Amino acid sequence: MNDSLTLQLVGEFIGTLVLILLGDGVVAAVSLKKSKAEGAGWIAIALGWGLAVTLGVYCSAFLSPAHLNPAVTLGMAIAGVFKWSYVVPYMIAQTLGGLVGAIIVWINYYPHWAETDDSKAILGVFATGPAIRNYPMNFISEFIGTLVLVFALLAFTRGKFTEGLNPMVVGLLITAIGFSLGGTTGYAINPARDLGPRIAHQILPIANKGDSDWKYSWVPVFGPLAGGAVGAWLYLLIP
């Protein structure tokens, strides 16, 4: 990791861009009409997101701690292993990376938006949404998923992994959360993963798009932030 804050922010931007490019990309591949992967389903999405996180970490870890997630950044600060003064700049860089990554997904699949007449499926490429809209329970689902994520990431610091293996373990963690807990809300578990692409959905001239569902947008932002904070506090309770 580089000591320069500027280079660390570049790392967080690049890593989150790769994360969203590959993560939203697999959702686009599965959801958009006339994609060769159309209909591949939840298994493809969960595995794709796990790989997206792994590769995003590999692409940025030489520059930054590769949080790629404001909830992780907040949790690390609460746990005392990250500077509080870096929290807001990291969150901004991560969100911008998510925005740009989503824009590239739109470009990559450009002809497919016009072929897809389901505006909810199009929004689902960019942002998460609940299977059953129940705001308190949706919040709790995002809270639990992110609590598990941050607690596990901190717990990993107490173990020993072969050099270079840690990003793969983190990817497996994301895949497990997706398989086991993600069916309720699409498991944002990352404010930048949802907010940046949702902004992209709002501002881009996407064919057949509908509403960006801003009334739900607070859930995948504040649910993960709360879950990440509590995950870190629980970790601190362990001597």
Side-chain angles (χ1 to χ4, degrees), residues 95 99 123 127-128 133 135 191 194-203 209-221:
T95 303
L99 170 62
L123 175 60
T128 61
R133 190 169 294 256
Y135 291 117
D194 192 274
L195 181 59
R198 195 181 297 269
I199 293 171
H201 180 273
Q202 177 71 45
I203 65 176
K209 78 171 182 179
D211 180 73
S212 298
D213 197 15
W214 287 103
K215 60 184 176 294
Y216 179 78
S217 64
W218 66 274
V219 173
V221 171

Side-chain angles (χ1 to χ4, degrees), residues 95-138:
T95 303
L96 289 175
L99 170 62
V100 175
I103 291 172
I104 300 173
V105 170
W106 170 66
I107 295 170
N108 187 73
Y109 284 94
Y110 188 81
H112 294 268
W113 310 107
E115 299 290 338
T116 306
D117 57 8
D118 185 345
S119 61
K120 290 184 178 179
I122 289 173
L123 175 60
V125 171
F126 294 88
T128 61
I132 298 173
R133 190 169 294 256
N134 180 318
Y135 291 117
M137 294 309 303
N138 302 151

Side-chain angles (χ1 to χ4, degrees), residues 57-97:
V57 172
Y58 275 126
C59 287
S60 58
F62 71 102
L63 289 170
S64 76
H67 295 166
L68 317 185
N69 182 339
V72 172
T73 297
L74 177 63
M76 295 299 166
I78 290 171
V81 296
F82 186 70
K83 295 181 181 178
W84 277 102
S85 60
Y86 285 11
V87 169
V88 172
Y90 262 55
M91 290 180 174
I92 293 171
Q94 292 155 357
T95 303
L96 289 175

Side-chain angles (χ1 to χ4, degrees), residues 5-60:
L5 174 58
T6 299
L7 289 177
Q8 289 183 41
L9 296 179
V10 170
E12 291 297 310
F13 174 85
I14 292 172
T16 312
L17 187 158
V18 171
L19 164 65
I20 297 304
L21 174 60
L22 300 180
D24 280 5
V26 72
V27 181
V30 169
S31 302
L32 299 182
K33 295 296 183 182
K34 297 188 178 179
S35 159
K36 290 182 180 293
E38 182 184 355
W42 188 253
I43 292 175
I45 289 173
L47 290 174
W49 271 106
L51 291 169
V53 170
T54 295
L55 296 172
V57 172
Y58 275 126
C59 287
S60 58

Side-chain angles (χ1 to χ4, degrees), residues 92-197:
I92 293 171
Q94 292 155 357
T95 303
L96 289 175
L99 170 62
V100 175
I103 291 172
I104 300 173
V105 170
W106 170 66
I107 295 170
N108 187 73
Y109 284 94
Y110 188 81
H112 294 268
W113 310 107
E115 299 290 338
T116 306
D117 57 8
D118 185 345
S119 61
K120 290 184 178 179
I122 289 173
L123 175 60
V125 171
F126 294 88
T128 61
I132 298 173
R133 190 169 294 256
N134 180 318
Y135 291 117
M137 294 309 303
N138 302 151
F139 180 94
I140 289 172
S141 181
E142 290 290 339
F143 175 92
I144 292 171
T146 318
L147 186 157
V148 171
L149 171 64
V150 172
F151 182 88
L153 291 176
L154 287 165
F156 290 169
T157 65
R158 296 199 180 190
K160 293 182 179 180
F161 295 101
T162 301
E163 186 175 359
L165 184 62
N166 194 60
M168 296 182 65
V169 177
V170 174
L172 288 173
L173 172 62
I174 296 296
T175 302
I177 291 172
F179 278 141
S180 301
L181 303 174
T184 54
T185 61
Y187 70 115
I189 58 173
N190 180 345
R193 173 266 174 274
D194 192 274
L195 181 59

